[in-house]
């Protein structure tokens, strides 16, 4: 699997995208901080799933554009220009380095979490111990129910499910007969959550 990099055009910056969710903006808590007055604190998020890249605007003031077209949510292909405010970045697909490097991996003492099992013999959600787990993260091996996982729906009906703990991709787990469907509900966007918070505060 190749790597996807956002290379700065109007400023010297290079951001290598990680699988899962990547946020861009001026706020230092973003995955990638862009120092530009025309960029919002939380400007947009980029979702990398396998070899597909999806850009989602987070209600930015000056907008998110792909090749000059303002978008709310749209796929981004290698070679296209992503503009946030006045900052422009090009998406580049890069293969693995040709020169092999020998490295000694660090020995991790962290043990994989032991899956919690319910009385019926099926796995329990890590966050909701009485609920059946519908997905297991391939990276951290943690189990979660359909209320916890992050879901990305791609064009053509394809769906990717991501871990809420490490953003790794998840796989489905078997559920007992008669259990609710395993299809997770769509998570509310960051903009939706902020709007709800503002509405509550001013009531």
């Amino acid at each position: 699997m190749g790597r996807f990099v956002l290379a700065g055009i109007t400023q010297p910056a290079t951001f290598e995208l990680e699988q899962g969710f990547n946020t861009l903006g001026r706020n230092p808590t973003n995955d990638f901080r862009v120092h530009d007055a025309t960029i919002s604190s939380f400007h947009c998020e980029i979702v990398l799933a396998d070899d597909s890249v999806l850009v989602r605007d987070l209600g930015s003031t000056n907008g998110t554009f792909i090749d000059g077209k303002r978008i709310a949510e749209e796929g981004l292909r290698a070679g296209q220009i992503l503009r946030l405010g006045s900052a422009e970045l090009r998406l580049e697909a890069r293969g693995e380095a040709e020169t092999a490097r020998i490295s000694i991996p660090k020995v991790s003492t962290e043990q994989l979490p032991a899956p919690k099992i319910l009385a019926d013999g099926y796995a329990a959600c890590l966050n909701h111990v009485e609920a059946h787990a519908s997905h297991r993260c391939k990276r951290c091996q943690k189990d979660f129910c359909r209320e916890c996982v992050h879901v990305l729906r791609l064009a053509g009906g394809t769906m990717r499910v991501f871990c809420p703990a490490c953003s790794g991709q998840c796989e489905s787990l078997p559920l007992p007969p008669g259990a609710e469907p395993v299809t997770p509900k769509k998570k509310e966007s960051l903009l939706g959550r902020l709007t709800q918070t503002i509405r509550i505060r001013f009531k």
Side-chain angles (χ1 to χ4, degrees), residues 7 14 24 37 44 53 76 82 97 111 135 141 167 174 176 190:
T14 302
L24 285 80
C44 72
V53 181
L76 180 66
L82 175 66
Q111 296 182 352
H135 292 83
Q141 296 297 303
S167 295
L190 174 62

Side-chain angles (χ1 to χ4, degrees), residues 21 47 49 52 54 56 73 146 150-162 182-187:
F21 292 80
V47 186
S52 66
L54 181 75
R56 182 181 295 127
E73 179 176 314
R146 66 195 186 102
H150 299 294
V151 180
L152 172 66
R153 290 178 173 84
L154 305 175
T158 305
M159 185 175 69
R160 297 285 187 272
V161 181
F162 295 96
V182 300
T183 303
K185 69 178 183 179
K186 187 174 182 181
K187 293 288 184 180

Side-chain angles (χ1 to χ4, degrees), residues 75-89:
L76 180 66
R77 299 187 305 275
Q80 289 188 308
I81 305 299
L82 175 66
R83 178 159 62 87
L84 315 177
S86 63
E88 293 186 341
L89 306 103

Side-chain angles (χ1 to χ4, degrees), residues 33-107:
R33 187 181 186 186
V34 185
H35 298 276
D36 190 301
T38 63
I39 294 179
S40 298
S41 296
F42 298 96
H43 199 101
C44 72
E45 65 181 4
I46 300 177
V47 186
L48 177 58
D50 297 332
D51 288 328
S52 66
V53 181
L54 181 75
V55 181
R56 182 181 295 127
D57 184 79
L58 296 177
S60 63
T61 301
N62 294 315
T64 300
F65 299 79
I66 295 179
D67 284 347
K69 173 189 172 185
R70 186 163 187 164
I71 60 98
E73 179 176 314
E74 193 163 317
L76 180 66
R77 299 187 305 275
Q80 289 188 308
I81 305 299
L82 175 66
R83 178 159 62 87
L84 315 177
S86 63
E88 293 186 341
L89 306 103
R90 178 185 290 106
L91 181 67
E92 298 179 355
R94 299 180 181 179
E96 298 297 330
E98 296 181 0
T99 303
R101 295 183 179 180
I102 300 175
S103 61
I104 301 175
K106 295 181 179 179
V107 178

Side-chain angles (χ1 to χ4, degrees), residues 135-152:
H135 292 83
R136 174 171 294 164
C137 177
K138 295 180 180 179
R139 182 186 298 170
C140 69
Q141 296 297 303
K142 295 177 181 177
D143 298 338
F144 297 97
C145 68
R146 66 195 186 102
E147 301 296 327
C148 294
V149 294
H150 299 294
V151 180
L152 172 66

